[in-house]
Amino acid sequence: TPVLVLRDTTERPEIIAAGAGMLIGTCRANIVLQVDKLLQDPIQYQSMRTAKNPYGDGTTSSQICAVLRQAHFEQRQTEPSLYRKPVARLQASKKFQQALRENVRIAS
């Protein structure tokens, strides 16, 4: 989906550089003009629509949840006694955090 940045400057120019967005400012007349131009130019619209998003594919949270669920499930299966005692829970938490550090990959 094309992104129209309604600001005069942006601290995140990656979307503009990637071709997925346009910096169009805050002037109402220019906003209307740029939106009209984009809607009337199917080639530019399609180009922006299919540009690679530099911030990821929108699935990062799902990927993180999958890693968390898998790590939690595996830990419970291999060490069920850790879930019975408070001190053991703290140790399990530390092992879980270690598993996260080893398994979570940030989407780029």
Side-chain angles (χ1 to χ4, degrees):
T1 302
V3 175
L4 303 177
V5 181
L6 307 181
R7 299 179 76 185
D8 294 319
T9 60
T10 181
E11 68 279 359
R12 295 188 149 187
E14 299 89 355
I15 196 90
I16 312 301
M22 289 190 324
L23 185 65
I24 62 175
T26 58
C27 173
R28 182 180 182 159
N30 191 50
I31 294 168
V32 172
L33 175 70
Q34 295 300 327
V35 169
D36 282 344
K37 284 171 69 173
L38 183 60
L39 292 175
Q40 292 175 21
D41 186 348
I43 294 171
Q44 182 182 11
Y45 182 86
Q46 187 63 17
S47 173
M48 290 177 73
R49 186 177 169 274
T50 57
K52 181 167 172 45
N53 186 330
Y55 306 119
D57 62 3
T59 64
T60 301
S61 62
S62 298
Q63 293 173 35
I64 291 170
C65 286
V67 169
L68 293 173
R69 275 192 223 103
Q70 185 64 31
H72 182 70
F73 175 77
E74 287 173 1
Q75 187 174 6
R76 264 192 104 130
Q77 294 299 313
T78 59
E79 303 177 47
S81 63
L82 292 178
Y83 290 87
R84 295 190 187 121
K85 301 174 187 170
V87 173
R89 285 189 194 124
L90 179 59
Q91 292 169 343
S93 176
K94 288 179 182 177
K95 288 182 180 183
F96 186 68
Q97 290 171 7
Q98 180 64 32
L100 289 179
R101 283 193 290 277
E102 293 171 1
N103 292 316
V104 174
R105 305 285 187 265
I106 303 298
S108 57

